[in-house]
Amino acid sequence: MIFYLALGVLFTIYAFDLLLLVVVAAIARSAEVAALLKKRSRERSSKKDQKKKEAAAKAAAEAGAASPASGAAKAAVAAPPAGGVAGGRYASGGGEVEDSSPSGSSGYTSSTAEEDSSGEEDLPRAEIITTAPAGSTAIALPDDPWGGAKAPKVLIQLPMYNEEAHAAAIIDACCRINYPRDRLLIQVLDDSTKEAVRQKVDAAAAACIEQGHPVQVMRRDNRSGFKAGAMVEGLNRVEGLGYEYCAIFDADFDPPVDFLEETIPTMHRDKTLAYVQTRWAFSNGNESFLTWAQKINLSFHFDVEQRARSYLGWFFNFNGTAGVWRIQSIHDAGGWQSDTVVEDMDLSLRCYLKGWNALYLPHVDNPNELPCTLSSYKTQQFRWLSGPMQILIKSFSNIWHAKDISLFRRLNAFWFFMRYILFAAITIGVLAVPPVALWVETWSWDWPQIYFIVSINFALAVYLYVTPFSIAYLFFSVAIGYFKLWAMTSGLLGLEKSKTWKTGGSLLTRIHKPYALEAVLALYYAGMAAAAGIYASWIMLGYCALMFLVFLAISFGDAYM
């Protein structure tokens, strides 16, 4: 009775947590759409007002030309030069006219924010500058978000290791990004050990440099700290040169040309942001069942989890790429550290505990490629699931004793990691259902069992609704869940990262090497199916037989995935 009740409670918590994120993500999406419509409405209204003012100015000018008195007045005061008034002064006849208004306009105060101590401004608005009581009106429309000041200096880091297929493409893509070239540095952090890859990187960088792009290639004598170590070396190289922001891209990404235009002004306006994370898009999401399943999973992560947590102001982690960091926040939190395999989540948490905020920008898409083989996918998932457990061990005490954030924010950070534990408990519980039902607590339709059935179906209903209505994805995620459980266990115990088979050659070469974990689970469910048949538990027999087929298919997945 306790077993079914406990498992039912776990499923209920899981379902409500999922449902909360789905509802909040829907609210956030609605708010984004409303803000977009409001912005477009303001733009249309602004254009209409501008046309009206231009028409009125034209009419006033024509009337002034027809009147001798106004013509004399017009001769006394010259029109301002094109592009607005510089410093509130402009030439008028043989002298100068100085505007006494703080905004640089006569009889009009600009709503543009005043410059702070560093000389930076918020996004400027159109300023109406009146040159004379009966004269014409000029509209000053700044074409940059910095209010005439220089754009902040931005560093783009491209950490890579033997990326033969993508090295040249990501360098070219970053050189196409719109941003003042004198305020940008593209830093290629190449730890490649293959000479052919190094030559490809050098050739791509040299071609971009010849075209006037600010590209710098950095190589190290060793791979100490791996990706985190490379980024630390890159930041050290530009220390003291005034770089304020650092954008990061993995080699298989293809950032849009307006990436910095969409992200840097947002961070520049909000000084509390440690980083902004943008959305991943998937160029090969429909290439195979494996890439499709990954696309479903990651789309849910970005469209629901990241969006909802950002909207609520809860902790959500930087995803390692396709985002921008405030360099000050990196230093404030202790810098990149390589004592976990998920340095991005580790730094995100340390910034959160220091009181920094983060923002997710769902409208900025960054195409990239998903792992196209089961072996590479499992290697990636091992790092993504063992890493959070390493952080939980490393930072449990730090979360509890964080003095720069409220108790609620600390509890929120705890829950972020406890969700992994919840997933592990459900996975173990589901694995134990067949032997418990057959030998420990014989199934009976009492209220604990009924509650268990209702809760598991409720959780499945929510899960299938958001992922979306896919039984095939459900079975795949359940089967791969046990590998994720093993990864989490390895992270908690500090075990050496397990090696997955990566074999090539023909189908026969690959098919005789199944994944051990999935093969063992297939045998387990085959045995449970046989036991269920002996005890005439036909529902359990069908369930175990189905799970046997699922795990058998996954265990030989490298042959066809």
Side-chain angles (χ1 to χ4, degrees):
M1 178 173 119
I2 296 177
F3 173 79
Y4 294 112
L5 185 61
L7 199 54
V9 170
L10 292 177
F11 272 110
T12 302
I13 295 173
Y14 171 81
F16 275 107
D17 176 73
L18 200 64
L19 193 59
L20 173 64
L21 293 177
V22 170
V23 171
V24 173
I27 295 172
R29 188 179 183 88
S30 299
E32 293 160 10
V33 172
L36 179 61
L37 293 175
K38 188 175 180 181
K39 178 182 177 182
R40 290 179 177 175
S41 176
R42 285 199 306 266
E43 290 174 350
R44 286 194 296 267
S45 178
S46 177
K47 288 180 180 179
K48 289 180 181 179
D49 291 343
Q50 182 177 343
K51 289 180 179 179
K52 289 180 181 179
K53 290 168 184 174
E54 288 175 349
K58 184 177 180 182
E62 291 174 352
S67 171
S70 62
K74 184 178 178 182
V77 181
V85 179
R89 306 172 70 93
Y90 57 87
S92 175
E96 285 185 327
V97 174
E98 183 173 359
D99 188 355
S100 60
S101 170
S103 65
S105 62
S106 175
Y108 176 82
T109 302
S110 170
S111 58
T112 306
E114 295 182 358
E115 291 190 7
D116 58 21
S117 57
S118 63
E120 297 168 346
E121 295 186 3
D122 288 341
L123 280 171
R125 301 178 183 175
E127 297 182 33
I128 303 175
I129 306 173
T130 305
T131 60
S136 62
T137 300
I139 306 295
L141 292 172
D143 57 358
D144 70 273
W146 323 115
K150 286 187 176 181
K153 297 182 74 172
V154 176
L155 175 69
I156 296 180
Q157 290 191 323
L158 307 177
M160 58 181 68
Y161 173 70
N162 290 336
E163 295 284 353
E164 185 171 5
H166 303 107
I170 183 60
I171 295 173
D172 291 339
C174 288
C175 288
R176 291 195 299 269
I177 293 178
N178 296 330
Y179 205 75
R181 285 302 178 256
D182 62 329
R183 313 297 289 172
L184 181 69
L185 175 62
I186 301 170
Q187 203 174 60
V188 183
L189 308 175
D190 183 29
D191 279 351
S192 300
T193 55
K194 297 179 180 179
E195 186 59 31
V197 179
R198 290 189 173 201
Q199 292 178 2
K200 181 173 289 190
V201 169
D202 291 343
C208 290
I209 291 172
E210 288 178 1
Q211 297 172 12
H213 299 292
V215 179
Q216 177 187 80
V217 178
M218 284 185 54
R219 290 197 175 94
R220 301 185 295 165
D221 296 333
N222 58 74
R223 294 194 66 213
S224 174
F226 302 102
K227 179 180 178 180
M231 291 189 293
V232 169
E233 291 288 336
L235 288 176
N236 289 340
R237 181 67 64 91
V238 299
E239 187 175 358
L241 299 181
Y243 287 91
E244 297 182 50
Y245 304 101
C246 178
I248 300 170
F249 297 102
D250 285 345
D252 58 336
F253 276 70
D254 184 18
V257 294
D258 62 348
F259 180 85
L260 294 180
E261 294 174 334
E262 293 287 347
T263 55
I264 300 300
T266 299
M267 297 194 72
H268 200 66
R269 287 194 298 268
D270 188 349
K271 306 299 184 184
T272 70
L273 292 177
Y275 57 88
V276 294
Q277 174 66 55
T278 63
R279 188 180 184 276
W280 294 7
F282 311 105
S283 56
N284 63 338
N286 296 320
E287 183 178 283
S288 65
F289 172 77
L290 177 63
T291 58
W292 172 82
Q294 294 176 72
K295 182 184 73 172
I296 293 294
N297 182 46
L298 288 172
S299 294
F300 173 77
H301 172 69
F302 283 102
D303 293 338
V304 175
E305 291 181 319
Q306 297 290 74
R307 175 183 262 130
R309 291 181 176 279
S310 175
Y311 184 76
L312 292 171
W314 291 2
F315 171 71
F316 73 94
N317 64 288
F318 178 68
N319 293 109
T321 177
V324 179
W325 278 89
R326 188 184 304 275
I327 294 178
Q328 176 190 350
S329 71
I330 295 177
H331 294 319
D332 183 48
W336 294 105
Q337 297 177 5
S338 57
D339 53 349
T340 71
V341 294
V342 282
E343 69 287 330
D344 46 5
M345 184 181 291
D346 177 43
L347 181 58
S348 302
L349 178 62
R350 285 186 278 117
C351 282
Y352 180 82
L353 298 182
K354 280 284 189 177
W356 289 93
N357 296 320
L359 184 67
Y360 172 61
L361 301 177
H363 65 284
V364 185
D365 278 352
N366 288 264
N368 73 103
E369 290 187 4
L370 296 162
C372 56
T373 64
L374 188 60
S375 59
S376 58
Y377 170 68
K378 293 182 74 174
T379 300
Q380 178 198 72
Q381 291 299 303
F382 192 98
R383 183 172 66 86
W384 286 3
L385 272 298
S386 62
M389 298 300 99
Q390 296 172 348
I391 294 176
L392 184 60
I393 294 174
K394 170 185 176 180
S395 302
F396 186 90
S397 177
N398 295 337
I399 297 173
W400 184 249
H401 293 100
K403 300 184 182 302
D404 297 317
I405 59 175
S406 65
L407 175 61
F408 176 79
R409 284 171 67 89
R410 279 180 277 162
L411 293 175
N412 170 251
F414 273 124
W415 177 242
F416 179 89
F417 293 98
M418 288 300 105
R419 293 175 73 245
Y420 289 91
I421 305 299
L422 175 65
F423 164 79
I426 289 176
T427 304
I428 295 172
V430 170
L431 190 66
V433 166
V436 169
L438 292 175
W439 295 301
V440 180
E441 290 188 39
T442 305
W443 185 271
S444 62
W445 289 100
D446 295 328
W447 74 267
Q449 284 86 347
I450 295 174
Y451 172 60
F452 165 71
I453 292 294
V454 171
S455 64
I456 194 172
N457 279 280
F458 174 53
L460 288 175
V462 176
Y463 189 79
L464 291 176
Y465 173 74
V466 299
T467 56
F469 304 101
S470 175
I471 298 295
Y473 175 75
L474 171 66
F475 284 130
F476 174 78
S477 60
V478 168
I480 207 69
Y482 290 94
F483 175 79
K484 294 179 179 180
L485 175 62
W486 162 238
M488 291 168 59
T489 303
S490 299
L492 285 172
L493 298 179
L495 303 179
E496 183 182 358
K497 181 178 178 180
S498 64
K499 304 294 189 298
T500 55
W501 283 302
K502 296 181 182 180
T503 58
S506 65
L507 176 64
L508 291 177
T509 304
R510 289 179 284 164
I511 202 169
H512 75 281
K513 288 185 176 181
Y515 287 102
L517 177 63
E518 285 75 12
V520 168
L521 289 170
L523 292 176
Y524 166 78
Y525 276 108
M528 290 297 103
I534 294 173
Y535 284 90
S537 179
W538 308 121
I539 295 179
M540 186 62 67
L541 171 61
Y543 167 72
C544 291
L546 181 61
M547 296 307 295
F548 161 72
L549 294 175
V550 169
F551 280 104
L552 185 66
I554 297 296
S555 66
F556 291 103
D558 263 343
Y560 51 86
M561 286 189 179

